[in-house]
């Protein structure tokens, strides 16, 4: 995990420094997701022009799952942030009880509900694309 710049670090508590590293690590990972999504949008525009709009419905499910994960990570980081007011942390925790917990993969053979939804969305996209790509290659 990255450390804050020395000038910034000297005014930070140990807790602030830990949060800095954690939040920067998540930010770095999410930037990679956003870079791939930008590329994917361009590909989707081309696919829509060739095959029609129905592909967008399949990707909307995937993008909704991505957004769900983003919100979960954002709330997690807000709870970790020592600068977040306790009342706000309490509200986030209270609201979390209404959502499914998707931050951690159990790594079991049986995927959890979120992972199952993600795999199904990907599989449906593959089912849609494979005949089109095989046909276009011929």
């Amino acid at each position: 995990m990255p450390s804050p710049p020395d000038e910034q670090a000297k005014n930070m508590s140990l807790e602030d420094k830990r949060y800095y590293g954690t939040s920067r690590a998540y930010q770095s990972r999410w930037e990679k997701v956003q870079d791939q999504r930008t590329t994917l949008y361009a590909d989707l525009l081309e696919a829509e022009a060739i095959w029609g709009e129905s592909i967008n419905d399949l990707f909307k499910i995937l993008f909704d799952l991505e957004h769900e994960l983003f919100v979960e990570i954002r709330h997690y980081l807000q709870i970790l942030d020592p600068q977040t007011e306790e009342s706000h942390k309490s509200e986030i925790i209270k609201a979390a009880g209404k959502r499914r917990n998707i931050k951690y993969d159990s790594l079991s053979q049986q995927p959890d509900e979120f992972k199952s939804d993600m795999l199904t969305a990907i599989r449906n996209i593959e089912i849609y694309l494979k005949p089109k790509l095989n046909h276009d290659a011929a």
Side-chain angles (χ1 to χ4, degrees), residues 3-134:
S3 298
D6 290 339
E7 187 64 30
Q8 189 177 354
K10 70 181 182 182
N11 297 320
M12 296 172 83
S13 68
L14 182 59
E15 198 174 58
D16 287 330
K17 290 175 188 175
R18 271 192 229 133
Y19 172 73
Y20 178 93
T22 301
S23 65
R24 294 298 169 148
Y26 274 101
Q27 181 179 4
S28 175
R29 292 177 191 137
W30 202 259
E31 284 172 359
K32 293 173 185 169
V33 171
Q34 292 304 305
D35 289 346
Q36 292 303 310
R37 189 168 180 175
T38 300
T39 302
L40 182 57
Y41 273 141
D43 293 338
L44 279 173
L45 285 173
E46 185 177 342
E48 182 182 345
I50 296 169
W51 299 314
E53 294 182 15
S54 59
I55 194 166
N56 292 330
D57 295 334
L58 294 169
F59 274 91
K60 182 184 181 317
I61 296 166
L62 191 66
F63 293 151
D64 287 348
L65 290 166
E66 175 197 12
H67 180 73
E68 182 181 357
L69 180 60
F70 174 78
V71 169
E72 188 69 22
I73 291 168
R74 182 171 177 253
H75 286 160
Y76 171 70
L77 291 173
Q78 287 176 318
I79 290 169
L80 288 182
D81 186 352
Q83 305 304 316
T84 302
E85 294 181 19
E86 289 303 317
S87 62
H88 188 63
K89 288 180 183 183
S90 295
E91 289 300 317
I92 292 170
I93 292 167
K94 185 176 154 184
K98 299 172 186 168
R99 296 185 314 266
R100 56 186 175 175
N101 184 0
I102 61 173
K103 279 192 310 282
Y104 303 105
D105 187 346
S106 67
L107 302 176
S108 70
Q109 294 289 349
Q110 183 66 27
D112 61 27
E113 181 185 359
F114 180 79
K115 188 173 186 178
S116 180
D117 289 349
M118 184 69 75
L119 293 172
T120 298
I122 292 168
R123 190 169 29 258
N124 288 338
I125 292 168
E126 289 173 344
I127 289 168
Y128 177 86
L129 288 176
K130 280 183 181 178
K132 294 180 179 333
L133 296 175
N134 286 337

